[in-house]
Amino acid sequence: MTKMKIAPSILTADFSNLRSELETIQSADWLHLDVMDGHFVPNITFGPKMVADLSQYTDLVLDVHLMISEPEKYIADFVKAGADYVTVHQETSVHLHRIIHMIKDLGAKAGVALNPATPVYTLEHILSDLDMVLIMSVNPGFGGQSFIPSSLDKIRWVHEKSQQLGLTDLEIQVDGGVNLKTAKAVIDAGATCLVAGSAVISAADRAKAIYLLRNAGVELV
Ligand code: DX5
Ligand code: ZN
């Protein structure tokens, strides 16, 4: 079994102290960076400069989740800032195929995120072009919301399709309400990467929270 990837989100961390916040999550695999524009989602966070600045202080894979309208206008800036993965929302991307290939041509890995109400089969004809599918298990915009159980069917669909198509490198990332209560079901459904905001950031021992999440799907014998 391959190691489960844990991607803490700094959305609920102390933005005035991000450099030291980053030190507390270095045992993770990826750093999930939630970019919000106050238009596609009802919240505003940060842009490419923050990604570039943080990249100086971590070796974690930089995983940029763009919750912004017209993402194509900013993709090059985020790749230049050091993004390893750039994920756009299906709902913001009319010409999704073009945008995915723009990300790849710039040298980053390309992901597509789906809101809870967006049918997963909208990705059927683009799945083999993708490096990652991000199943949103809350409505994007805020940390600390409750996991929406119907997301599990969507994770299963991506897992099964990727197996049928032999897409062994496709990452299946799940974002929203992932914690020690929900992680096992998410992993069992086929997730390969768990985003965890409040489950890590609110924990007294963040390294322990990362360890426990990573092993949430491992059966103890
Ligand atoms: C929500 C963001 C998430 C968020 C997750 O719009 O995309 O990455 O930080 O936070 P939790 O894990 O607290 O639901
Ligand atoms: Zn996110």
Side-chain angles (χ1 to χ4, degrees):
M1 195 171 135
T2 50
K3 183 182 156 206
M4 186 59 46
K5 298 173 191 81
I6 305 298
S9 161
I10 53 160
L11 184 61
T12 57
D14 178 356
F15 279 15
S16 70
N17 201 19
L18 279 181
R19 194 165 150 189
S20 51
E21 293 280 58
L22 208 51
E23 281 165 20
T24 67
I25 54 172
Q26 294 295 348
S27 62
D29 305 281
W30 294 11
L31 178 65
H32 185 80
L33 296 160
D34 287 307
V35 178
M36 304 186 183
D37 66 351
H39 184 258
F40 174 58
V41 290
N43 196 1
I44 300 176
T45 56
F46 49 77
K49 182 172 188 299
M50 179 73 90
V51 176
D53 289 355
L54 289 173
S55 73
Q56 314 284 309
Y57 300 102
T58 185
D59 292 327
L60 296 174
V61 170
L62 296 181
D63 166 36
V64 174
H65 177 191
L66 292 181
M67 286 163 276
I68 63 175
S69 302
E70 300 186 280
E72 62 277 14
K73 287 189 179 169
Y74 302 96
I75 286 165
D77 293 338
F78 282 100
V79 175
K80 212 180 292 165
D84 295 297
Y85 280 78
V86 176
T87 296
V88 296
H89 268 259
Q90 188 268 11
E91 301 85 3
T92 62
S93 309
V94 181
H95 303 289
L96 187 58
H97 183 276
R98 179 184 293 152
I99 292 177
I100 290 309
H101 286 281
M102 179 195 286
I103 297 170
K104 291 181 150 189
D105 290 347
L106 287 163
K109 300 210 175 199
V112 176
L114 296 176
N115 279 345
T118 304
V120 68
Y121 41 80
T122 57
L123 298 186
E124 182 152 15
H125 299 289
I126 201 166
L127 211 55
S128 52
D129 292 289
L130 303 182
D131 297 299
M132 177 157 80
V133 173
L134 195 183
I135 301 294
M136 288 301 302
S137 39
V138 298
N139 287 293
F142 302 96
Q145 304 179 80
S146 299
F147 184 84
I148 298 172
S150 56
S151 318
L152 293 172
D153 282 341
K154 295 167 77 173
I155 302 165
R156 270 183 223 112
W157 186 93
V158 179
H159 174 69
E160 279 162 23
K161 270 280 165 206
S162 65
Q163 297 234 307
Q164 282 166 21
L165 298 171
L167 306 175
T168 45
D169 293 333
L170 182 74
E171 298 286 353
I172 306 175
Q173 188 178 58
V174 182
D175 184 7
V178 175
N179 55 37
L180 284 176
K181 289 203 181 86
T182 54
K184 185 173 183 334
V186 169
I187 294 168
D188 288 350
T192 63
C193 179
L194 306 182
V195 176
S198 42
V200 169
I201 301 302
S202 310
D205 183 341
R206 292 177 180 174
K208 186 174 172 192
I210 289 166
Y211 173 83
L212 291 174
L213 281 169
R214 187 181 280 133
N215 291 291
V218 177
E219 302 290 347
L220 296 174
V221 281

